[in-house]
Amino acid sequence: MNDAAPRPPELELANVSRTYFAGGAEEVRALRTLDLRIASGSFVSVEGPSGCGKTTMLNLVGLLDAPTSGEVRWDGHSVGGLSDRERARLRLRSVGFIFQRFYLLPTLTAQENVELPMRALGLPREDRTRRAAELLSEVGLSDRGRAFPHQLSGGEEQRVAVARALANQPGLLLADEPTGELDSGNTRAILDLLVRVRSARSATLLLVTHNPEVAARAGRHLTMRDGSVVRDVAGN
Amino acid sequence: MRGPRRGRALRHTRLQVVLAVAAIAAAVALPVVLISVGGGVSAHELASLQNAGYQIVVSAAGLHGISHAHALAERILAVGSVSAASPVLSVDVDAYTTSGALSPVLAEGVIPAQFGPTLSPAERGLFPSPLPLGDPTDLRHFDNGSYSGPATYDVLISFPFASAEHVGTGDTLLLSPTTNRSLGTLYNVTGVFGVLPTLLGPTGAFLVLLPLSDLQTMTGFGPSASATVPDAADTVQVAVTGAVAVSPSALAVVRGSIQALVPLYSVTSLAQEAQQLESANAVLTGFYLALSSVGLTIGLLFLALVLLRRVEAEHRSIGIRRALGLPGWSIAGGIVREGLLLSVLGALTGILAGYLVVEGLATWATSTVQEAAALARFDPTVLAEIALGVAGLSLLASAVASRAALRLEIGEALR
C-alpha cells in the first residue's frame, strides 16, 4: 500500500432520492431530492430525528447503497455506474466506516479486526501487523490487541472501530452516531479521538450525531427532517 | 473464523453438520467397500488367470460335459504349439477318515503326466514331484474306455484337509459319491499338497487329487465298477509353447484350431477371460459409484443447508465485511473452506468407515464373505478420486451459499 493517504474526495449529492419498497404499501421515502456538496477535508455533522434519512445519506455517500434517482458524485464523477466490485474496491481504499454498534467481527481479536481491511488490500503481514499496532496505540489500546470484542468495554470497542476505519488511510470517514451507545466519558473520548485523527489526516469527516457537543465542534452542521436538509450552518 | 463465537455458531447447526458429514461418509463408505472388495476379488481372479500354467480352456457346461476326455486330450496335443492338454473332472465327493468322520471335499480327477505341465511354477512347487498317483498316463485302468485294468486307488490330499482331519501320507481314506457311502472305495493317501489362496471358502481348500479314471469310475452312473462309465471331464486345460503364450494373435490361432476340433465346446483363452473380468469390474465400479451418488446428493443437500444456515447466522459479519469493502472472493472463500472442510471430513470418515466395515466383514462375516473381504484392495488412487469427487461436488454446495452471502443487502445486514 502506498503510504501517502488518498486525497479526501469532494462529495456531491445531486437531486438524490431514495425510496424503499417503492410502489408497495410499505413505501418509505428516506431521502427526497437532496442536493448537497461536501468539500474535501471538511468536518460535517448531521443531526435529525430517527428516520429522517441521516443513515441513508451516509450509506449513499459511502457507496453502501444506490439512490433511487439522482446522482452521487465523488470529485465530480458519478459513482452510479460503478459495478459492485468497483464500489467495494473504492470503499476499501477510500472510506472508513464507524458504526453506532461498533460492528467489530466477534471472532477476530482487536488487532485482527484492525488488520482486516489491510489484509483485503493485500498488505504484507509484517506491514499490517506493525500498522495495526500503531493504530491501536494511537487510539490508546496498545495493550488490548489480543482481546476479543466481547472482552472489551463499549468505549474500547469503538476505539478499535476507529482504528479499523483508519487502517487503509481513507480520505473519507463516515461515522454513524459513533457515541450513541457510550456513556458521557467515553463519548468525549471518542469525539476527541475522531477530531484528532481527522485533523491529523486532513480527511473528510461526515458524522451523524444527536449530541450538540459534537455539532459544536464540526466545521459545518446539517439538520435533517423527513429526508431533506432543513438547516445547513457553518460551525467552528 | 476462530474464537469462542465460532464454537457457538457451530453448536447451533451441530445436528445439520453431523447429518451432512454422516451422509457424505455413508455415501463414500458404500463405494469404498464395494470397489475395494470387488476390485480385490477381481484382482485375485485376474492374478490367478495370469499366473496359471495353461492359457486355453476347453469346457462344457454341466457334469461330465466333455466326453472322450482321454482321446480329446490326445487330439488337442497334436495341434501345433500345444505343449500340454490336461483333462480335469471336478466332482464333490464325501471323504471318510478311519475314525468315520465325514468331510465333503472337491475331488479333481487328472491324468498325472498331463496335469503337471499345466501347473504354473508357483503351483508346481506345492505338489510332490512326480505326482504319486500311480500310472502317469492313467491308461492301464482306463484301458481304452473299458476300465478293466487295475485302479491305483491313490489320492493326494490338500494340506488344509490333512491338517483339519489329521490325515497324512500312508493313511487311508474312504471316498464315495456324495451321500452314498455304500459306493465308497478305500484310497491310499500318497501325498499332501499345498494350496494357493482360494475364493471358495475354507471348505474350498478341502481338495483331493486322484487319477481321472478312478474318479470317473467312482462317480459313474452304473451300480458297479464294471458298468459302462463315460470318459468324461468338465474342462481340458491347454498349455502352449512359451512364444505363443505371450502372443495374443498366435494364441488366437491356436484357440481357433482347437475350436475347429470341438465346435460344440467352449474354447476360451485366459487372456480373453481376464479382459472380460476387467470389463465386468469396470462396469461394476461405475455402477457402485452411480449407486453412491444418491447418498452423495443427500449429503451435499445437507451440506448446502448447513452452509446456508451459516450465512444466515452470520449475516451481520458478512455485512460488515462487505461494508468494509472486502472482495467477494474473500467472503466466499470462508464458505468454500468450511464446505471443503466438512466434505473432506465426511470423505475421510467414509473411507475410514469403509475400511472398518471391510475389516469387520473379514473377521465376522460368513466364511465366503470373509474370504472375499480379506482380498479387499484399497487402491489409493481410487480413494483419492472419491475424495476429490466429493470435494469437487462440495464446491457446488458452497457456491449456493456463497451466492446467498454475496446477495445480502448490506444495509439490511447491518440493521
Side-chain angles (χ1 to χ4, degrees):
Chain A
M1 190 175 70
N2 191 340
D3 274 350
R7 194 182 69 79
E10 181 177 288
L11 304 168
E12 187 179 355
L13 280 73
N15 212 20
V16 165
S17 296
R18 181 65 172 102
T19 305
Y20 297 104
F21 314 114
E26 298 174 8
E27 180 176 291
V28 177
R29 298 186 67 189
L31 286 183
R32 298 163 190 259
T33 58
L34 183 65
D35 284 298
L36 185 68
R37 186 186 292 265
I38 297 170
S40 170
S42 58
F43 175 10
V44 181
S45 70
V46 186
E47 70 154 343
S50 288
C52 71
K54 306 183 295 291
T55 298
T56 300
M57 185 185 73
L58 229 59
N59 286 349
L60 290 172
V61 169
L63 309 180
L64 292 181
D65 196 4
T68 309
S69 64
E71 265 192 356
V72 177
R73 298 188 189 117
W74 278 42
D75 289 329
H77 301 291
S78 171
V79 292
L82 298 180
S83 66
D84 280 351
R85 183 179 294 190
E86 289 167 331
R87 293 158 77 88
R89 189 80 181 158
L90 199 52
R91 281 200 302 274
L92 182 64
R93 284 185 167 281
S94 306
V95 186
F97 287 100
I98 301 151
F99 303 99
Q100 179 179 356
R101 289 185 212 160
F102 326 132
Y103 286 154
L104 299 180
L105 290 177
T107 54
L108 303 184
T109 63
Q111 168 97 14
E112 288 166 342
N113 263 287
V114 177
E115 284 185 31
L116 190 62
M118 295 186 273
R119 211 168 78 183
L121 209 54
L123 209 63
R125 178 192 289 265
E126 253 180 38
D127 290 355
R128 63 177 193 248
T129 304
R130 176 182 49 77
R131 179 154 170 73
E134 286 170 5
L135 287 166
L136 283 173
S137 172
E138 187 175 353
V139 300
L141 292 175
S142 51
D143 57 341
R144 303 290 279 153
R146 300 178 74 172
F148 284 94
H150 71 275
Q151 297 168 320
L152 299 171
S153 70
E156 287 174 325
E157 279 197 83
Q158 194 60 298
R159 279 191 275 167
V160 174
V162 171
R164 181 180 66 184
L166 299 172
N168 285 343
Q169 299 177 292
L172 174 62
L173 288 171
L174 299 175
D176 191 358
E177 302 195 42
T179 59
E181 299 209 346
L182 301 179
D183 58 36
S184 58
N186 274 314
T187 293
R188 177 154 301 158
I190 290 296
L191 287 176
D192 287 344
L193 176 63
L194 280 174
V195 169
R196 180 160 48 83
V197 298
R198 186 205 74 82
S199 80
R201 290 164 175 76
S202 303
T204 302
L205 172 59
L206 191 54
L207 189 151
V208 171
T209 181
H210 291 294
N211 191 326
E213 188 188 343
V214 179
R217 298 170 74 164
R220 182 179 171 195
H221 183 66
L222 305 177
T223 305
M224 292 185 71
R225 293 274 188 282
D226 299 327
S228 301
V229 174
V230 295
R231 188 160 170 258
D232 184 348
V233 296
N236 295 329
Chain B
M1 289 179 66
R2 288 169 287 138
R5 285 287 181 93
R6 174 164 175 87
R8 281 203 292 276
L10 277 182
R11 272 198 296 278
H12 287 313
T13 52
R14 179 173 290 171
L15 182 62
Q16 287 101 321
V17 168
V18 169
L19 286 174
V21 171
I24 293 170
V28 168
L30 182 67
V32 166
V33 171
L34 295 177
I35 293 173
S36 300
V37 174
V41 169
S42 176
H44 176 86
E45 288 288 283
L46 205 58
S48 299
L49 291 176
Q50 287 165 344
N51 292 328
Y54 54 95
Q55 293 77 35
I56 293 172
V57 176
V58 179
S59 60
L63 186 60
H64 301 180
I66 293 176
S67 53
H68 308 297
H70 284 81
L72 177 59
E74 291 302 320
R75 288 172 66 202
I76 292 173
L77 262 175
V79 172
S81 301
V82 171
S83 59
S86 168
V88 177
L89 175 62
S90 301
V91 186
D92 288 328
V93 301
D94 288 342
Y96 296 88
T97 61
T98 48
S99 66
L102 163 68
S103 292
V105 295
L106 180 68
E108 292 213 333
V110 299
I111 298 172
Q114 291 173 225
F115 177 67
T118 62
L119 293 173
S120 69
E123 291 170 322
R124 207 167 292 145
L126 301 171
F127 287 88
S129 180
L131 286 178
L133 283 178
D135 175 16
T137 62
D138 193 45
L139 290 176
R140 272 182 284 166
H141 178 220
F142 170 64
D143 198 16
N144 202 26
S146 69
Y147 297 92
S148 58
T152 62
Y153 300 122
D154 289 343
V155 64
L156 296 176
I157 62 174
S158 67
F159 177 75
F161 175 67
S163 298
E165 300 300 333
H166 306 292
V167 182
T169 305
D171 291 336
T172 56
L173 205 60
L174 184 79
L175 298 177
S176 74
T178 303
T179 66
N180 202 344
R181 184 176 183 172
S182 62
L183 292 177
T185 307
L186 211 55
Y187 278 74
N188 302 307
V189 177
T190 54
V192 177
F193 61 89
V195 290
L196 291 170
T198 171
L199 287 179
L200 298 174
T203 54
F206 279 30
L207 291 168
V208 298
L209 204 66
L210 59 160
L212 177 62
S213 58
D214 281 12
L215 186 59
Q216 288 170 340
T217 307
M218 190 208 308
T219 57
F221 300 115
S224 69
S226 61
T228 304
V229 289
D231 174 21
D234 46 51
T235 59
V236 179
Q237 299 169 349
V238 181
V240 296
T241 52
V244 176
V246 294
S247 165
S249 57
L251 197 60
V253 170
V254 176
R255 192 190 71 78
S257 301
I258 296 172
Q259 183 75 77
L261 287 177
V262 285
L264 298 180
Y265 295 155
S266 161
V267 182
T268 54
S269 71
L270 295 193
Q272 275 178 300
E273 286 189 20
Q275 205 171 21
Q276 286 166 359
L277 194 64
E278 283 178 328
S279 300
N281 190 45
V283 169
L284 278 177
T285 300
F287 175 71
Y288 297 151
L289 288 174
L291 195 66
S292 70
S293 68
V294 177
L296 208 53
T297 304
I298 295 170
L300 291 170
L301 284 176
F302 272 115
L303 182 60
L305 188 69
V306 168
L307 296 175
L308 282 171
R309 288 265 301 175
R310 168 84 188 280
V311 168
E312 192 182 311
E314 301 202 2
H315 73 284
R316 176 156 294 164
S317 287
I318 292 168
I320 294 168
R321 288 168 191 268
R322 291 190 59 202
L324 294 177
L326 266 64
W329 58 258
S330 81
I331 294 165
I335 296 167
V336 170
R337 271 196 299 277
E338 179 144 350
L340 279 176
L341 179 74
L342 292 179
S343 62
V344 168
L345 186 66
L348 291 178
T349 306
I351 289 170
L352 180 66
Y355 175 78
L356 292 175
V357 166
V358 171
E359 288 294 304
L361 290 175
T363 308
W364 291 301
T366 59
S367 57
T368 309
V369 175
Q370 268 187 354
E371 198 163 353
L375 292 171
R377 201 178 54 168
F378 294 93
D379 184 349
T381 309
V382 172
L383 298 181
E385 281 172 1
I386 291 174
L388 274 178
V390 170
L393 287 171
S394 81
L395 291 177
L396 283 178
S398 305
V400 172
S402 297
R403 187 167 180 270
L406 296 178
R407 288 168 70 95
L408 268 181
E409 282 287 331
I410 300 176
E412 281 290 319
L414 296 182
R415 195 158 292 166

